[in-house]
Amino acid sequence: MTGQFRLGTYNFSYYLIIPLTVAVVANYAQQFIEEMTMHYTGPVVRPPHEANSILLEVTVGCTHNHCTFCTFYHDTPYRLAPKSQIEADLQEAKRFRPDAKRLYALGGDPFSLRTAKLVALAEQIHQYFPDINIAMYARISSMFNKSLDELKQLRALGINDLVIGVESGDDEVLARVNKGYNRADIIRECQKLEAADISYRVIFLGGLAGKGNGQRNADNMANVLNQLHPTHMYMTSVAIQPDSSMYQEVLDGSFVEASEQERIEETLALVEQLEQPITLLGQSVANPVNFIAILPEQKTQLISELQNVLQQFSGQDEAHLRRQREQLRNI
């Protein structure tokens, strides 16, 4: 096998490996929190690629907060950050990062704000950082009430590179984990973003379909992605937390978790079917196999590596990776 076994995960040696787990207060952020007087409430959650961005609290918590697997915002009621707080934080950020080119608006889904509020936010930000890119988390439902013209207006104001926790393209899975939308919604709303020239990244949460359903979940996710053009996909695997609704489903037997081998098989099945150019970011502590790959250039290589892993996968590997997953304290 060309990869190496390290910390319970296979790491393909010829890929560029960088830390890509969703971070709750990254090292850089912690440094600035200690030195600056910016405001943060509850968990500071941002995607890995925004590690060096200004982190600006715009909303607190999540408007939905009912996904059965998610515990990020259980103790953080949703609210808007006061405009005066945002103003003070922008002043502080300008003092420490005057030449910053990226800003990440914090909150579970700041894109759910009405267009008028997002316009006002972008204009407020651009008073301090005229050319900065403004990125944020978004839910599929965040786009429901925004027209194409409104999205184009937001794009013109520098709002771009959204991160969307799609999680799955399977209607049964989406309904069971209470995402609040279906696969048709995903396709329609992401195509609307593309028409507005807003780039976006998606998150796929492997294992979410449960034991015996990985192939179906992979098939449906691939079908959705082959109709869309996200620039990147974060590929991780669900780690069920004791304070989640999904954990209770495990206890009462209504949900049976996929094995570690099944999760790798699901990843392979998804990769095999992808047709559009995309960068796959599979470097996560929750993944049994870690990788980064650019498709289509590295598709054949990645498929070969995943097949090699499965051919050599043992009961000992299964047990080791399962113990590691049970120790995780994040999804």
Side-chain angles (χ1 to χ4, degrees):
M1 189 174 115
T2 61
Q4 59 180 337
F5 196 76
R6 178 164 63 89
L7 297 178
T9 58
Y10 288 101
N11 291 274
F12 298 157
S13 57
Y14 55 79
Y15 291 122
L16 170 65
I17 300 298
I18 57 177
L20 284 170
T21 53
V22 172
V24 180
V25 189
N27 289 337
Y28 118 89
Q30 186 63 46
Q31 173 191 346
F32 278 96
I33 288 172
E34 291 170 357
E35 296 178 0
M36 303 169 72
T37 58
M38 294 181 70
H39 302 80
Y40 299 104
T41 307
V44 178
V45 182
R46 54 92 182 148
H49 66 276
E50 299 289 359
N52 295 314
S53 302
I54 291 173
L55 302 182
L56 180 69
E57 183 170 280
V58 171
T59 62
V60 174
C62 175
T63 55
H64 184 62
N65 206 19
H66 289 298
C67 297
T68 63
F69 56 86
C70 184
T71 60
F72 275 140
Y73 302 108
H74 275 189
D75 299 321
T76 310
Y78 177 80
R79 64 173 175 81
L80 306 183
K83 185 176 181 179
S84 59
Q85 174 186 305
I86 293 174
E87 186 77 17
D89 286 350
L90 286 169
Q91 292 172 0
E92 190 75 351
K94 182 68 173 178
R95 186 163 68 91
F96 278 82
R97 301 281 304 280
D99 300 319
K101 298 302 180 185
R102 291 187 67 89
L103 180 147
Y104 199 76
L106 292 174
D109 57 334
F111 203 67
S112 64
L113 294 173
R114 290 185 295 107
T115 300
K117 285 188 175 294
L118 287 170
V119 168
L121 172 66
E123 291 174 343
Q124 186 179 12
I125 291 170
H126 286 309
Q127 290 177 11
Y128 296 90
F129 301 95
D131 302 316
I132 205 164
N133 183 85
I134 304 169
M136 62 191 74
Y137 280 123
R139 283 177 45 80
I140 291 298
S141 57
S142 302
M143 281 79 82
F144 286 173
N145 63 350
K146 293 178 175 64
S147 68
L148 178 57
D149 286 342
E150 288 175 316
L151 292 174
K152 289 180 177 179
Q153 181 185 15
L154 296 175
R155 177 65 182 88
L157 287 168
I159 295 179
N160 196 37
D161 201 11
L162 304 179
V163 179
I164 307 171
V166 171
E167 323 301 4
S168 172
D170 184 280
D171 277 344
E172 182 177 333
V173 172
L174 292 169
R176 185 175 49 74
V177 302
N178 199 23
K179 285 300 295 184
Y181 51 77
N182 58 36
R183 65 189 306 274
D185 295 329
I186 296 171
I187 296 168
R188 182 187 65 251
E189 297 306 318
C190 287
Q191 287 178 340
K192 199 162 68 175
L193 288 178
E194 293 173 10
D197 196 31
I198 294 177
S199 67
Y200 61 97
R201 306 169 187 234
V202 296
I203 301 172
F204 172 70
L205 194 54
L208 208 57
K211 185 176 180 60
N213 299 312
Q215 180 69 53
R216 189 197 76 218
N217 195 42
D219 293 346
N220 287 320
M221 187 65 181
N223 180 271
V224 167
L225 289 172
N226 288 336
Q227 300 179 62
L228 302 173
H229 302 87
T231 60
H232 299 72
M233 177 163 64
Y234 284 111
M235 301 182 70
T236 186
S237 188
V238 65
I240 301 176
Q241 301 303 300
D243 54 343
S244 69
S245 299
M246 182 170 278
Y247 183 75
Q248 295 304 313
E249 295 174 8
V250 172
L251 293 181
D252 66 26
S254 60
F255 181 78
V256 180
E257 293 187 69
S259 69
E260 300 301 320
Q261 180 173 336
E262 284 181 297
R263 294 169 195 253
I264 301 172
E265 292 170 343
E266 181 181 31
T267 298
L268 174 60
L270 175 54
V271 172
E272 286 177 327
Q273 298 179 72
L274 294 178
E275 299 171 356
Q276 303 286 9
I278 191 170
T279 297
L280 304 180
L281 305 173
Q283 180 73 357
S284 165
V285 294
N287 278 350
V289 177
N290 278 212
F291 59 87
I292 298 174
I294 300 172
L295 272 58
E297 292 86 349
Q298 293 178 309
K299 180 177 179 178
T300 300
Q301 214 171 9
L302 177 57
I303 288 172
S304 177
E305 288 289 358
L306 290 169
Q307 290 171 336
N308 287 341
V309 169
L310 286 168
Q311 287 171 4
Q312 301 182 46
F313 199 77
S314 68
Q316 184 178 1
D317 293 336
E318 178 71 38
H320 180 84
L321 291 168
R322 180 63 200 175
R323 286 194 300 270
Q324 177 176 288
R325 183 172 306 283
E326 290 173 349
Q327 295 171 5
L328 296 176
R329 289 298 171 261
N330 239 318
I331 59 173

